[in-house]
Amino acid sequence: MDVEAQKPDCSKNFIGGQWRDPAQGEYYTNEDPARQVPLGEVAIAGEADVDHAVHAAREALNGKSWGRMSPADRGRLLWRIGQTIRERGEYLALLESLDTGKPYTEALHGDIPHAAGAFEYYAGWSNKITGEVLPIPSSYVDYTRHEPLGVVGAIVPWNFPLQMAAAKIAPALATGNTVLLKPAEQTPLTAMALADILSELDVPPGVVNVLPGFAATGAALVAHPGIDKITFTGSTAVGKSIMRTAADTLKRISLELGGKSPNLVFDDADLQRAVRGVATGIYYNQGEMCTAGSRVLVQDSIYDQFMDAFLAALRDLQPGDPLDKNTRLGSLVSQEQFARVSHYVTLGQQEGATLALGGAPGADRGYFFPPTVFTEVQPHSRLAQEEIFGPVVAITRFADEAQALTLANDVNYGLAAGVWTTDLARAHRVAHGLQTGTVWVNTYNALWHEAPFGGYKESGHGREGGRAGAELYTQTKNVCIRI
Ligand code: NAI
Ligand code: MG
């Protein structure tokens, strides 16, 4: 496929249904991290562009074509967006792979269908979010309405660019809002390709606006008084700063932040399944995943057996060209992320953990990082406590169930956890004891649009997916009538 010929134009903002030059005339160069070659110039949206987009979004909200579109018609439109994403799967997967460094195969079978699925799933909710008539005294009629919040600012990260954008835009549109999307600076391509799709499908102008740029562009969305809600996925540090700034305008926020998710392997686990699950849990998407199972807790009695099988399973897992169909580990997204991951490897060694595998990147071009395993990791070390966001796993032993739970919960994060056991009662006991928004038993990273997803503790606020995901974009009005 000739990408050059079809690569979306990122040098403009998409505002009010039109491609517009950035007001300040500022641009940056986007990079393909695997080849370290430029992917094109990208507009930097400034405050004036954000303001312009807020007005376009507000106008669409109150306008005839979107504001008065029936919920069923909104649903049909969302469905068509999902279908178009599916039809362009190969093209979008290629863009995603070039931009992020992730394997093309994973983008094709993971990111892109998942993004399409978000639109298809929320298409169905468009006309199914119903209010209630309340049982109050008969001299009154009292009912509730779930109204849109208004203009939504969606700030997304670089690890699953289209998928994350879809997970926010689809429920926001299903419930009648309008959106300003700020893609991550590392990965603007599929956001712009989505703008192309919306434009072709005649989504009314201003319903979705795309504003590329860096942190300052995101911050301009958060500060703007005309934006009613910020939905964010990214680092906990930025999530905290968004929460602080949002207080000034009392914006609604939902935050999907980092994690340090544990995978607990009990001595009654199906060892082969556990080994495979733990490996994909940490190495899928180069470990650049909020749910990465980056801490592995293994019961003493099977520790040696598990480690032998785990290291053997990783023998053939080496980073390679993301566009090669057989590649399962691509490039990290950027030089910055490469430096961050490298730093943690040095830190782990300084902290006295044992480097059992990997650690030293080999390629002279591209930000490739090999699968890296640390054992004997101390529970309070930074290696065990901080999000690395790379293919680095910290392994610690435990003696019994009680200790496993204590270790698992002893971090500030609480996004997800995996439990590997064949004991049914233990599976439920441990699932109930884990302080995480998601618990996977004998599986990992099984994510469904139907299921609520989000964090406990510093992993965030709010739940994406399911009915909860739609309700993130509504506010309830109560209407009480004296009859
Ligand atoms: P980040 O949190 O800085 O970036 C995420 C998004 O927020 C990007 O679109 C960025 O431009 C925007 N942003 C940055 N500062 C902002 C601000 N002050 N106000 C509004 N928007 C802002 O993440 P970054 O720097 O790319 O990665 C750093 C670390 O964050 C990673 O190593 C990883 O630990 C974590 N992270 C977690 C993600 C997750 O899925 N939960 C995704 C990406 C990063
Ligand atoms: Mg890029």
Side-chain angles (χ1 to χ4, degrees):
M1 181 184 304
D2 183 5
V3 210
E4 264 328 304
Q6 302 177 55
K7 220 162 44 189
D9 181 6
C10 294
S11 71
K12 293 186 164 42
N13 298 311
F14 183 65
I15 298 176
Q18 299 189 329
W19 278 269
R20 295 177 178 275
D21 293 321
Q24 287 170 302
E26 290 179 352
Y27 303 89
Y28 71 95
T29 305
N30 181 22
E31 188 189 33
D32 167 351
R35 285 160 202 81
Q36 291 185 253
V37 296
L39 285 170
E41 293 300 287
V42 184
I44 302 176
E47 280 178 24
D49 304 303
V50 170
D51 191 56
H52 186 177
V54 169
H55 284 100
R58 181 71 51 194
E59 219 171 284
L61 202 60
N62 300 326
K64 212 162 114 198
S65 50
W66 180 251
R68 283 187 237 153
M69 185 184 281
S70 76
D73 282 343
R74 280 205 308 265
R76 276 185 277 272
L77 189 55
L78 286 177
W79 182 264
R80 281 164 56 216
I81 299 170
Q83 292 294 293
T84 310
I85 291 173
R86 262 183 218 285
E87 284 158 16
R88 298 196 192 164
E90 291 183 6
Y91 165 63
L92 293 168
L94 186 54
L95 295 182
E96 209 72 305
S97 174
L98 290 172
D99 221 359
T100 60
K102 70 172 67 199
Y104 168 79
T105 309
E106 286 181 5
L108 184 67
H109 298 295
D111 298 55
I112 306 306
H114 203 81
F119 284 102
E120 292 158 357
Y121 175 75
Y122 280 107
W125 273 113
S126 293
N127 57 357
K128 293 171 195 69
I129 304 277
T130 54
E132 289 178 304
V133 178
L134 304 169
I136 41 116
S138 60
S139 48
Y140 294 85
V141 171
D142 194 312
Y143 63 93
T144 60
R145 285 165 53 78
H146 296 285
E147 298 186 346
L149 286 171
V151 177
V152 172
I155 303 174
V156 297
W158 42 260
N159 51 345
F160 294 90
L162 186 63
Q163 184 175 321
M164 299 269 182
K168 295 178 175 355
I169 294 172
L173 297 192
T175 47
N177 298 272
T178 55
V179 177
L180 270 63
L181 171 68
K182 209 297 274 175
E185 52 271 35
Q186 298 86 348
T187 55
L189 289 180
T190 48
M192 281 306 172
L194 179 63
D196 283 331
I197 291 175
L198 301 176
S199 176
E200 283 173 43
L201 293 179
D202 293 325
V203 173
V207 170
V208 177
N209 307 272
V210 185
L211 299 143
F214 293 83
T217 307
L221 258 64
V222 180
H224 201 294
I227 294 184
D228 302 290
K229 185 210 162 94
I230 293 289
T231 169
F232 172 77
T233 298
S235 63
T236 292
V238 172
K240 287 180 182 178
S241 90
I242 288 176
M243 195 162 171
R244 275 191 289 269
T245 311
D248 291 336
T249 49
L250 223 65
K251 277 185 182 54
R252 274 65 179 156
I253 50 172
S254 47
L255 305 172
E256 202 268 89
L257 308 176
K260 192 73 186 178
S261 300
N263 244 319
L264 285 66
V265 186
F266 287 95
D267 61 6
D268 54 36
D270 175 332
L271 202 68
Q272 283 315 314
R273 275 178 75 181
V275 163
R276 277 199 304 275
V278 167
T280 16
I282 179 63
Y283 299 117
Y284 189 80
N285 210 50
Q286 300 72 243
E288 297 169 317
M289 257 190 113
C290 49
T291 55
S294 52
R295 288 187 296 147
V296 179
L297 308 176
V298 186
Q299 195 154 15
D300 269 333
S301 42
I302 52 152
Y303 184 84
D304 292 337
Q305 217 185 327
F306 174 85
M307 283 310 301
D308 287 347
F310 186 57
L311 292 174
L314 300 180
R315 214 175 289 134
D316 298 327
L317 185 63
Q318 280 308 316
D321 178 3
L323 297 182
D324 182 330
K325 293 210 164 63
N326 298 316
T327 294
R328 286 164 58 215
L329 198 63
S331 163
L332 297 183
V333 74
S334 64
Q335 203 280 326
E336 190 187 6
Q337 196 59 23
F338 182 84
R340 194 176 284 137
V341 175
S342 305
H343 167 72
Y344 275 103
V345 171
T346 310
L347 190 72
Q349 287 169 305
Q350 284 166 358
E351 287 180 328
T354 305
L355 181 62
L357 187 77
D364 39 85
R365 210 144 67 104
Y367 308 117
F368 295 97
F369 213 95
T372 297
V373 178
F374 276 101
T375 58
E376 312 301 331
V377 178
Q378 292 303 315
H380 289 119
S381 65
R382 289 181 58 192
L383 199 66
Q385 292 285 323
E386 297 179 13
E387 182 171 56
I388 300 174
F389 232 62
V392 180
V393 68
I395 303 191
T396 303
R397 303 161 181 258
F398 67 85
D400 54 23
E401 198 178 299
Q403 196 195 6
L405 269 176
T406 303
L407 287 171
N409 289 332
D410 195 13
V411 288
N412 291 334
Y413 292 114
L415 193 58
V419 183
W420 300 89
T421 180
T422 50
D423 178 336
L424 182 63
R426 165 173 280 162
H428 288 290
R429 263 195 320 270
V430 174
H432 297 184
L434 285 163
Q435 292 160 12
T436 59
T438 295
V439 178
W440 285 300
V441 179
N442 296 332
T443 183
Y444 205 82
N445 276 337
L447 293 160
W448 314 106
H449 296 296
E450 293 81 352
F453 175 75
Y456 277 33
K457 304 197 277 189
E458 291 197 3
S459 290
H461 288 189
R463 295 290 178 269
E464 297 190 312
R467 175 190 274 273
E471 287 173 350
L472 282 182
Y473 300 94
T474 65
Q475 50 196 343
T476 306
K477 178 178 283 173
N478 185 246
V479 181
C480 176
I481 304 167
R482 174 87 196 250
I483 53 172

